């Protein structure tokens, strides 16, 4: 959550400034709050440098109008809001942003606005440019309903649209080509446009699992109203807030009277204490108590004791409350094996805590991973464990979730045992499997899927580190390969060729019959042969060749320090890596991954027979690099066949593995050696 993170960062910077005796200035901007002086003192601002402006103090004057609607039902109330919204848009004749609860309502409202315009024989009244000028932009929009709406001057934005389409719509609105944009409330903080007229069609979102509506947060409502800000001149802007009649007084009060800003750091203190223990900012329990005294949470304890469940406001009550908070926090972290406690006071970082801090994971997730993954856990087991991670808690479920999951559960590539999942973890499983299986989802779930996939890759990287700490080879390789599947949107049974643009399963099967199974096989073909085999247009063939030329082509040479070693004797493997391809390692090519991704590579030495991971190292490979792996010789007599793995988290078919033999003996006299082996390729 952003709030506790901002609080910790600000408090820590203030603490550093005090310790180093170097002055620091914090500039904080925000909406009007009732306890501005508390916040000012917390950031170190003096009274004459703390300002609190009324809601009406704006460079561009703003008129806020509240319209009440009597319908008690959420959906019918939204339908009744469309016509007044249309009338306001026509009357103002200005650029307009309409905020709605969901993508379904956005689409409905857009079509209704166009229907009302068509009823007046003015279907194109919201279009402010020539239709011919829009053609090149409309070609980028695959949704036919959206493309038609844009051609009439109205567009809708929701999280299920690609970033490219969202930017096209916002750009058309900025230059004045279209007059109206209907936006889902979830995009309010990422929106990059302003308007002269803003309309809020409702201030709540219906929650099916509780059969009632939940209000938007006050911050969201203020941000929506803040989008009414003309960048052209200083003429007054208008914000129309539509809500249920019984809520008008409540909404007006919240808009005009600022509320106090409270801290909820105590709910997320575990992860911050763990991180500060890792960097030795906190070395004992008293340091942890002192650390909390720099936060806004400490300042608000005595100001609002009931909110923080404080029994009294005396110094003794506050001290006891903080001591209990730190004791409980440290105890939970100790049980999760993230930190160690010595002499009931001193705190020390453990490996799991370091992993949690490095990957910015919750301590509960690290505890789950470390206790659940076993030496023989396969891909299906890793998926099950991954889906229960705390990082997915913000992906909501409702009464419609089971209806959404039921048909997809029959189509996912890996069978799901529903007895092992609750509704939320089952939903995460389906979202991830729909991604690797390339199953179509509605826009509402597409945005949740994108978020889940991005988080899953980070969680799998942490899994690799946790498994490596236990010295297990198979689960580590499975986690790395799972990363590849998520990065490319493929299942383990799919052809590697499906990473290439414009390839389908049918085309990949056809190529397999002609012994074309990998990306380099396509690249090595003659141009005429490639054209005949793939049956693509010239532009599509160029996309395929561009992808193949950028596909990682890594030359690996390695050298083992000795052929013979005593038990537990250090053995070194020197690895030289050189990239031959032209691809950008910081921009992974993928048809399915949501957003930009950088390549991650691992070098591993393992024994497949004993499932033992002897050494692992994460490698940053730009063009050319050297890396040294060191491990202890296995405590077993005889010739040991070991494997050197070079694994990628982003592409299928880019991995490499080499076997080498090591003669292991017990006691002295078994490690004279013949000198380093010649460089092998």
């Amino acid at each position: 959550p952003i709030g506790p993170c901002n609080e910790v960062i600000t408090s820590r910077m203030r603490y550093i400034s005090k310790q180093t005796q170097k002055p620091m200035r914090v500039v904080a901007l925000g909406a009007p709050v009732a306890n501005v002086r508390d916040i000012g003192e917390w950031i170190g601002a003096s009274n004459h440098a703390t300002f609190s402006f009324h809601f009406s103090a704006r460079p561009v004057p703003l008129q806020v109008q509240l319209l009440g609607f009597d319908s008690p039902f959420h959906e019918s109330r939204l339908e009744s809001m469309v016509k007044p919204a249309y009338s306001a848009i026509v009357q103002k004749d200005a650029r307009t942003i309409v905020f709605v609860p969901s993508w379904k309502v956005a689409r409905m409202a857009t079509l209704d606005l166009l229907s009302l315009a068509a009823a007046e024989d003015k279907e194109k009244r919201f279009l402010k440019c020539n239709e011919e000028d829009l053609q090149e932009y409309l070609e980028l929009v695959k949704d036919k309903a959206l493309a038609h709406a844009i051609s009439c001057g109205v567009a809708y934005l929701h999280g299920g649209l690609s970033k490219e389409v969202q930017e096209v719509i916002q750009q058309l609105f900025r230059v004045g080509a279209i007059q109206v944009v209907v936006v889902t409330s979830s995009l309010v903080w990422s929106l990059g446009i302003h308007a002269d007229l803003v309309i809020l069609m409702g201030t709540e979102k219906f929650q099916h699992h509780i059969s009632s509506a939940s209000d938007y947060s006050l911050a969201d409502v203020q941000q929506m109203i803040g989008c009414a800000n003309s960048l052209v001149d200083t003429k007054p802007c208008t914000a129309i807030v539509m809500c249920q009649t019984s809520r008008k007084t409540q909404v007006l009060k919240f808009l005009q009277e600022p509320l106090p800003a409270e801290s909820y750091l105590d709910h997320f203190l575990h992860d911050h204490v763990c991180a500060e223990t890792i960097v030795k900012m906190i070395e004992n329990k008293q340091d942890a108590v002192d650390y909390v005294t720099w936060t806004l949470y400490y300042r608000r304890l005595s100001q609002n004791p009931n909110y923080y469940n404080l029994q009294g406001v005396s110094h003794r009550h506050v001290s006891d409350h903080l001591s209990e908070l730190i004791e409980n926090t440290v105890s939970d972290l100790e049980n999760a094996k993230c930190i160690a406690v010595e002499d009931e006071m001193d705190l020390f970082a453990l490996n799991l805590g370091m992993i949690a801090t490095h990957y910015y994971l919750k301590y509960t997730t690290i505890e789950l991973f470390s206790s659940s993954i076993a030496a023989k856990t396969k891909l299906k087991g890793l998926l099950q464990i991954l889906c229960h991670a705390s990082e997915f808690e913000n992906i909501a479920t409702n009464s419609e979730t089971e209806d959404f999951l039921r048909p997809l559960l029959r189509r996912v590539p890996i069978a799901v045992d529903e007895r092992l999942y609750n509704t939320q973890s089952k939903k995460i499983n389906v979202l991830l499997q729909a991604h690797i299986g390339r199953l179509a989802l509605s826009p509402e779930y597409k945005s949740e899927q994108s978020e889940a996939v991005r988080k899953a890759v980070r969680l799998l990287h942490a899994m690799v580190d946790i498994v490596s700490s236990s010295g297990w080879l198979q689960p580590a390789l499975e986690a790395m390969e799972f990363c590849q599947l998520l990065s490319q949107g493929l299942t383990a049974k799919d052809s590697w060729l499906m990473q290439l643009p414009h390839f389908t399963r049918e085309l990949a099967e056809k190529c397999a019959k002609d012994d074309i199974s990998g990306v380099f096989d396509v690249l090595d073909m003659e141009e005429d042969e490639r054209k005949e085999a793939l049956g693509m247009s010239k532009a599509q063939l160029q996309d395929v060749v561009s992808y193949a030329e950028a596909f990682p082509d890594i030359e690996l040479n390695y050298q083992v320090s000795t052929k013979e070693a005593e038990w537990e004797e250090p053995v070194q493997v020197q690895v030289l890596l050189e990239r031959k391809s032209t691809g950008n390692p910081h921009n992974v090519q993928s048809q399915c991954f949501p957003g930009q991704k950088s390549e991650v590579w691992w070098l591993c030495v393992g024994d497949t027979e004993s499932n033992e991971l002897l050494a692992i190292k994460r490698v940053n490979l730009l063009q050319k690099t050297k890396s040294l792996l060191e491990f202890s010789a296995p405590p077993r007599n005889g010739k040991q066949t070991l494997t050197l793995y070079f694994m990628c988290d982003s592409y299928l078919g880019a991995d490499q593995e080499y076997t080498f033999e090591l003669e292991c003996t017990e006691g002295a006299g078994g490690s004279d050696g013949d000198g380093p082996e010649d460089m092998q390729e």
Side-chain angles (χ1 to χ4, degrees):
I2 296 175
C5 289
N6 285 340
E7 183 175 351
V8 164
I9 292 170
T10 305
S11 303
R12 196 169 192 267
M13 294 305 296
R14 290 267 294 142
Y15 175 79
I16 292 172
S17 174
K18 180 72 173 178
Q19 296 297 314
T20 58
Q21 298 297 315
K22 292 182 179 179
M24 180 191 63
R25 183 185 183 194
V26 178
V27 180
L29 304 174
V33 293
N35 57 332
V36 64
R37 292 201 178 277
D38 285 342
I39 295 177
E41 292 174 0
W42 167 56
I43 67 174
S46 59
N47 287 338
H48 70 272
T50 303
F51 306 94
S52 180
F53 300 101
H54 189 265
F55 175 76
S56 61
R58 292 168 51 99
V60 179
L62 175 65
Q63 299 174 353
V64 179
Q65 302 175 10
L66 266 70
L67 299 181
F69 294 81
D70 295 327
S71 175
F73 302 107
H74 181 73
E75 293 183 2
S76 60
R77 190 163 60 246
L78 286 172
E79 291 174 359
S80 65
M81 292 177 181
V82 176
K83 195 166 185 179
Y86 174 78
S87 300
I89 297 170
V90 172
Q91 180 183 355
K92 296 287 183 180
D93 193 25
R95 292 186 306 164
T96 305
I97 299 175
V98 182
F99 286 102
V100 296
S102 68
W103 74 273
K104 291 182 180 179
V105 179
R107 193 164 182 170
M108 177 272 292
T110 300
L111 296 177
D112 286 351
L113 289 174
L114 294 177
S115 299
L116 291 170
E120 298 179 359
D121 291 329
K122 296 180 180 179
E123 186 179 12
K124 305 285 185 179
R125 73 182 310 161
F126 300 124
L127 184 63
K128 303 301 180 181
C129 68
N130 296 325
E131 291 188 51
E132 295 76 15
D133 297 336
L134 285 177
Q135 290 307 314
E136 61 177 304
Y137 299 101
L138 294 179
E139 291 175 0
L140 301 173
V141 181
K142 306 301 182 184
D143 186 338
K144 294 182 179 179
L146 177 57
H148 171 70
I150 293 174
S151 68
C152 296
V154 184
Y156 54 83
L157 281 173
H158 56 74
L161 297 175
S162 67
K163 296 295 183 183
E164 183 182 26
V165 172
Q166 290 187 37
E167 184 53 40
V168 165
I169 293 172
Q170 294 188 57
Q171 185 61 28
L172 290 174
F173 186 79
R174 287 191 200 101
V175 301
I178 58 178
Q179 183 181 342
V180 182
V181 174
V182 184
V183 186
T184 56
S185 58
S186 59
L187 293 182
V188 61
W189 292 99
S190 60
L191 204 61
I193 52 178
H194 296 83
D196 301 303
L197 173 63
V198 168
I199 300 175
L200 277 67
M201 284 180 53
T203 59
E204 58 205 12
K205 184 173 183 178
F206 192 77
Q207 303 289 335
H208 293 274
H209 62 296
I210 57 176
S211 298
S212 67
S214 60
D215 292 330
Y216 295 159
S217 70
L218 180 59
D220 286 350
V221 174
Q222 290 177 332
Q223 183 73 5
M224 293 175 194
I225 294 175
C227 291
N229 188 12
S230 176
L231 302 180
V232 180
D233 50 39
T234 57
K235 67 179 182 181
C237 295
T238 304
I240 300 176
V241 181
M242 300 178 176
C243 62
Q244 195 171 0
T245 303
S246 59
R247 293 175 175 265
K248 281 181 64 176
T249 304
Q250 177 187 6
V251 172
L252 183 63
K253 181 179 179 180
F254 283 153
L255 291 178
Q256 293 183 342
E257 297 181 13
L259 297 175
E262 300 291 355
S263 168
Y264 57 111
L265 176 63
D266 50 328
H267 297 286
F268 301 93
L269 189 60
H270 295 77
D271 300 316
H272 295 293
V273 169
C274 180
E276 299 294 1
T277 304
I278 301 300
V279 298
K280 298 188 181 299
M281 177 69 82
I282 295 176
E283 296 185 332
N284 53 59
K285 293 180 181 179
Q286 185 58 47
D287 287 347
V289 174
D290 295 341
Y291 173 82
V292 175
T293 62
W294 284 87
T295 63
L296 178 65
Y297 172 78
Y298 175 73
R299 292 180 179 273
R300 292 298 299 168
L301 276 176
S302 57
Q303 302 294 325
N304 194 355
N306 289 336
Y307 181 84
Y308 297 102
N309 198 27
L310 196 63
Q311 302 301 318
V313 295
S314 67
H315 178 74
R316 179 63 181 269
H317 283 102
V318 173
S319 178
D320 290 345
H321 180 83
L322 291 181
S323 297
E324 182 182 1
L325 175 65
I326 295 302
E327 284 288 348
N328 292 338
T329 300
V330 169
S331 176
D332 291 341
L333 290 173
E334 185 181 19
N335 292 336
K337 298 181 181 178
C338 290
I339 63 174
V341 181
E342 290 189 5
D343 301 327
E344 298 185 356
M345 178 59 70
D346 297 328
L347 307 180
F348 297 93
L350 297 179
N351 185 56
L352 292 180
M354 296 178 185
I355 295 173
T357 301
H358 179 76
Y359 292 103
Y360 197 58
L361 303 182
K362 296 181 180 180
Y363 80 100
T364 50
T365 297
I366 292 296
E367 182 179 18
L368 170 70
F369 287 179
S370 63
S371 61
S372 302
I373 301 176
K376 296 183 179 180
T377 303
K378 299 293 180 63
L379 178 61
K380 184 176 181 179
L382 292 179
L383 175 60
Q384 177 191 334
I385 296 167
L386 177 69
C387 293
H388 286 83
S390 302
E391 275 64 26
F392 297 119
E393 287 177 350
N394 63 321
I395 295 181
T397 58
N398 53 46
S399 60
E400 294 182 344
T401 301
E402 290 294 339
D403 295 334
F404 156 71
L405 296 175
R406 197 171 294 112
L408 289 171
L409 284 170
R410 295 193 290 266
R411 300 170 58 198
V412 292
I414 302 174
V416 179
D417 186 348
E418 298 188 44
R419 297 171 298 176
L420 304 176
Y421 293 84
N422 57 32
T423 303
Q424 186 184 52
S425 58
K426 187 163 54 175
K427 180 178 179 180
I428 301 301
N429 187 309
V430 169
L431 290 175
L432 295 179
Q433 290 212 63
H435 174 73
I436 64 176
R438 300 191 179 184
L439 305 178
L441 297 179
S442 66
E444 182 179 2
Y445 296 108
K446 192 69 178 175
S447 57
E448 291 182 331
Q449 182 190 56
S450 298
E451 180 184 356
V453 170
R454 287 192 296 268
K455 286 183 177 180
V457 171
R458 178 163 53 93
L459 290 165
L460 285 168
H461 288 173
M463 272 191 182
V464 171
D465 286 3
I466 293 171
V467 171
S468 302
S469 303
S470 301
W472 298 326
L473 176 63
Q474 190 60 38
L477 297 179
E478 293 278 0
M480 296 172 191
E481 291 171 358
F482 195 1
C483 285
Q484 298 173 5
L485 303 181
L486 288 174
S487 297
Q488 295 297 331
L490 295 175
T491 68
K493 296 180 180 179
D494 284 331
S495 168
W496 294 347
L497 292 175
M498 288 182 61
Q499 298 173 97
L500 293 164
H502 313 301
F503 263 76
T504 62
R505 284 186 171 85
E506 293 73 19
L507 180 56
E509 290 173 0
K510 175 187 172 185
C511 290
K513 295 177 182 178
D514 297 330
D515 294 329
I516 304 171
S517 58
V519 175
F520 294 121
D521 294 338
V522 175
L523 188 61
D524 293 340
M525 298 169 68
E526 295 293 334
E527 186 174 345
D528 293 339
E529 183 185 0
R530 188 185 302 122
K531 183 177 180 180
E532 181 181 352
L534 305 184
M536 296 181 181
S537 66
K538 186 176 181 180
Q540 291 175 329
L541 287 172
Q542 183 58 46
D543 291 341
V544 171
V545 172
S546 298
Y547 184 103
E549 288 178 343
F551 190 85
D553 181 10
I554 313 299
E555 181 181 335
L556 184 151
N557 297 293
Y558 72 97
Q559 176 180 324
V560 185
S561 61
T562 181
K563 293 181 179 180
E564 300 179 357
E566 296 181 2
W567 290 4
E568 306 296 341
E569 181 184 346
V571 179
Q572 294 181 342
V573 180
Q574 182 78 44
V575 182
L576 175 63
L577 301 167
E578 184 174 1
R579 185 185 295 269
K580 300 295 185 181
S581 55
T582 60
N584 180 2
H586 297 301
N587 188 15
V588 171
Q589 298 184 97
S590 174
Q591 315 305 313
C592 300
F593 191 80
Q596 187 171 343
K597 184 182 182 301
S598 298
E599 295 175 5
V600 173
W601 297 86
W602 290 278
L603 280 168
C604 316
V605 175
D607 186 341
T608 54
E609 288 189 7
S610 62
N611 191 28
E612 188 176 1
L613 182 63
L614 301 174
I616 184 170
K617 191 170 186 178
R618 186 164 164 167
V619 181
N620 293 321
L621 177 59
L622 296 178
Q623 199 61 41
K624 193 174 183 178
T625 188
K626 285 184 179 179
S627 188
L628 181 66
L629 290 171
E630 185 172 312
F631 63 93
S632 299
R636 295 183 293 275
N637 281 327
K639 187 175 293 185
Q640 309 297 321
T641 301
L642 306 180
T643 306
L644 171 66
Y645 296 92
F646 182 51
M647 302 290 293
C648 180
D649 84 322
S650 304
Y651 296 98
L652 285 85
D655 304 333
Q656 300 180 41
E657 59 180 79
Y658 304 87
T659 58
F660 62 92
E661 294 182 342
L662 182 68
E663 186 72 33
C664 296
T665 56
E666 181 181 7
S671 58
D672 294 334
D674 300 323
E677 290 188 59
D678 294 334
M679 188 68 80
Q680 299 182 50
E681 182 176 336

